[in-house]
Amino acid sequence: MRIAILGAGRVGTTLGRRFADAGHDVVYGVRAPEDPKHADTPGPVLTLADAASRSEVLVLTSAWAGAEATLVAAGDLAGKVLIDATNPIGPGMVLTHGTTDSGAEQVARWAPGAQVVKAFNSIGMEVMANPRFGDARSVLWLCGDDVAACDVVSRIATDIGFEPVRLGPLTRARFIEPAALVWITASANLGREFSWGILRRA
């Protein structure tokens, strides 16, 4: 599958490496591909618009403050699967969108026609790099309005070792995004090598 990582920071490159290792065709979209800071990016570096146009799946990994500008620069994303891996966290580590809205819903408004799926936001990059914990796999919460798009995201999440768990329509991002704050807060005491799991009764 052709995947464009929109943003080449630590989260974006971590996911990009994992997708590439799983056999996907990965490119990175950035504002200035010629910038020397992208010399070590582990894959082709293109403009945001070029990366988006050549890919089936897009992963938004920019900082929340730059998310709108990133999507505008990426161009028309109608019909694309757009994974929103951002978190709408503002000063003081508080969510800028709460229980009546979500960052993912805002992303959908910024990218009309895209099939937005919320995923890869509620764990740290250490878990993205290795979602296996012994015989168990990290849960990956996801949600979206388009079933086919959620199928795609579930498949590529499984490809890199996660156990995807769907929580319903995109409005459920209002619960997934606060989960990211739980993970971030807990990491202060637990370190960063932990993740979400589910206990099931037989």
Side-chain angles (χ1 to χ4, degrees), residues 107-151:
V107 165
R109 293 191 290 270
W110 285 333
Q115 305 299 338
V116 178
V117 178
K118 189 75 186 186
F120 297 108
N121 72 297
S122 60
I123 36 82
M125 63 182 181
E126 295 83 359
V127 182
M128 297 175 194
N130 181 12
R132 293 196 175 274
F133 292 79
D135 294 332
R137 296 181 293 159
S138 169
V139 161
L140 183 76
W141 310 119
L142 68 95
C143 66
D145 293 335
D146 187 88
V147 172
C150 288
D151 287 343

Side-chain angles (χ1 to χ4, degrees), residues 3-120:
I3 301 175
I5 308 294
L6 304 183
R10 293 184 297 170
V11 169
T13 54
T14 298
L15 283 174
R17 285 189 182 94
R18 298 289 290 122
F19 292 139
D21 288 345
H24 297 289
D25 179 12
V26 177
V27 298
Y28 295 84
V30 300
R31 289 189 178 88
E34 70 282 359
D35 192 317
K37 71 181 180 181
H38 299 305
D40 295 328
T41 300
V45 180
L46 310 174
T47 66
L48 288 159
D50 286 345
S53 67
R54 61 164 286 174
S55 302
E56 304 161 278
V57 177
L58 315 176
V59 189
L60 179 63
T61 66
S62 66
W64 178 249
E68 182 178 12
T70 295
L71 293 170
V72 169
D76 183 7
L77 305 183
K80 303 279 189 180
V81 176
L82 175 59
I83 302 173
D84 174 24
T86 67
N87 281 304
I89 298 174
M93 286 297 292
V94 297
L95 295 173
T96 61
H97 294 62
T99 57
T100 60
D101 195 10
S102 66
E105 291 167 273
Q106 179 62 72
V107 165
R109 293 191 290 270
W110 285 333
Q115 305 299 338
V116 178
V117 178
K118 189 75 186 186
F120 297 108

